[in-house]
Structure formats: structure tokens, C-alpha cells
Amino acid sequence: MTARETILEAVRRAQPEAMPLPALEGDWIRYDDPVAQFCAVLEAIGSRAVVVGSIEAAQATLEALPEYEAAQRVFSAVEGIGRTTLDANAVATPHELASLEVAILPGELAVAENGAVWVTDLGLRHRVTPFICELLVLVVPKHAMVHTMHEAYQRISAPRRPDGSPAFGVFIAGPSKTADIEQSLVIGAHGPKESLVLLTE
């Protein structure tokens, strides 16, 4: 027996006894105010959410952000909210988005328990758009708030393009964060340094 086979055999002998999977049906968490819970979680993870009553209020909230007002390269995929000075769908390669400062994108639903927003690349030419910008603004209808990830997965489906080909979808919660080196928290190492969720009425 080779050293490799010896090691693999030792690993096989050390496997724990298989356990049955937990049942997926149950009394999941229900929040009295899921929107307040969502906002509190986002605040705790370095982001924030603002409930806006109208498109005009959303625009005013954006314009009150110094980062947005100072930005020279902005892309908005949400009609009526934000401006576009760098059309992310018009550039040929994702590398041309390296200088994108602000991206304003729609979110399909939001999750109260962990502050996540379901985002797809439908309508985006480059799926890197939500990850390469400095400030990510997600616009989500307030009525699309769910309590838990369990509930979220019941509502979403694998996104498809009009031609039937698979699209890309991801849950995004807050700005990019990592602490894999000496547990030192770094914001924006792999994605946006800041994020904001606008919950529209």
C-alpha cells in the first residue's frame, strides 16, 4: 500500500457516522417588523437601508450622499433613480469598468434575517458590475421583503435569459468584507467599499 492509499484509508476509517438531514419544514423565524430587522442587520454589517416613499425620494437620498455627488463614473440600471455617466452595458469588456464608482441596480427580494438582497445579471452585459464598483446601491421593493433565507429560496428560481440560457444570480449582503489574514477586517478588498439599499414603497 502506498503512502497515499494509507492516508486515504485512514481518512475513510475516521469518517463520522452518517446522520439524517434535518427536515425542511418547521416553524421558521418570523419577525414582527421584517423591514426594521433588515435595516438593523445591514447596519451591523457595515451597510444601511433607507425606506423611500417614491422615486423622487430615492433620488433625493442618492443626491444627499457625498460619494454619489462627487462620483464621475456612475451607472444606473434602475429607471428614474440615479444617473448614468458610464454605461456599463455599452463597454465591450469588464476591464473597462475598473473605474466605475457607483452602480445602482435592482434587487429582486431582500432577506430580513441576514440583510441579503437577491441580485441577478439580467439586464447587465457584465456580471462583474455589482462587484467592481466602489459604492453599490440596490433598489428593492419593500413588499419583496422575506423573513428568512428558507423563504427566499422558495421564491427565487434559477434566472434565465430570454433565449433560455442560464443567467447569474447572487445574494449580496453589505459591502465586501474579509478577515482571513490575522482576523483583521478589511472592507472593500474584493468588491464595493460601501453599499446602500433603497427600499421603495
Side-chain angles (χ1 to χ4, degrees):
M1 181 178 290
T2 65
R4 177 177 182 274
E5 291 169 337
T6 301
I7 293 171
L8 290 177
E9 182 57 30
V11 170
R12 291 188 189 98
R13 287 197 305 269
Q15 291 297 308
E17 185 178 348
M19 300 292 290
L21 294 174
L24 294 179
E25 300 303 324
D27 296 327
W28 306 111
I29 299 171
R30 305 294 294 180
Y31 299 100
D32 293 336
D33 188 342
V35 171
Q37 172 68 20
F38 178 81
C39 294
V41 172
L42 270 191
E43 187 86 20
I45 61 176
S47 183
R48 71 185 181 110
V50 178
V51 179
V52 291
S54 63
I55 296 295
E56 292 76 17
Q59 182 65 29
T61 301
L62 267 184
E63 292 174 353
L65 294 176
E67 301 87 346
Y68 174 78
E69 279 302 280
Q72 300 296 310
R73 293 166 295 276
V74 179
F75 171 68
S76 176
V78 182
E79 187 175 351
I81 300 179
R83 63 182 187 274
T84 292
T85 58
L86 171 59
D87 189 347
N89 289 340
V91 301
T93 71
H95 302 284
E96 295 174 66
L97 298 176
S99 62
L100 183 64
E101 295 170 87
V102 181
I104 304 157
L105 306 175
E108 187 174 322
L109 59 79
V111 185
E113 75 171 348
N114 62 3
V117 175
W118 175 246
V119 179
T120 74
D121 69 345
L122 295 173
L124 297 177
R125 184 174 183 181
H126 304 290
R127 70 175 56 163
V128 74
T129 304
F131 309 108
I132 203 167
C133 58
E134 299 286 322
L135 167 62
L136 175 62
V137 179
L138 297 173
V139 181
V140 188
K142 194 173 76 171
H143 65 76
M145 181 74 61
V146 298
H147 293 263
T148 64
M149 288 295 289
H150 182 75
E151 188 177 351
Y153 276 109
Q154 289 179 323
R155 293 202 183 185
I156 65 173
S157 58
R160 293 275 175 183
R161 302 187 187 289
D163 64 2
S165 62
F168 173 76
V170 64
F171 283 101
I172 298 176
S176 167
K177 297 178 287 295
T178 182
D180 58 351
I181 299 177
E182 297 183 348
Q183 297 185 336
S184 178
L185 181 62
V186 177
I187 305 292
H190 309 113
K193 294 178 181 175
E194 299 177 78
S195 70
L196 169 69
V197 177
L198 297 176
L199 296 170
T200 57
E201 297 282 359

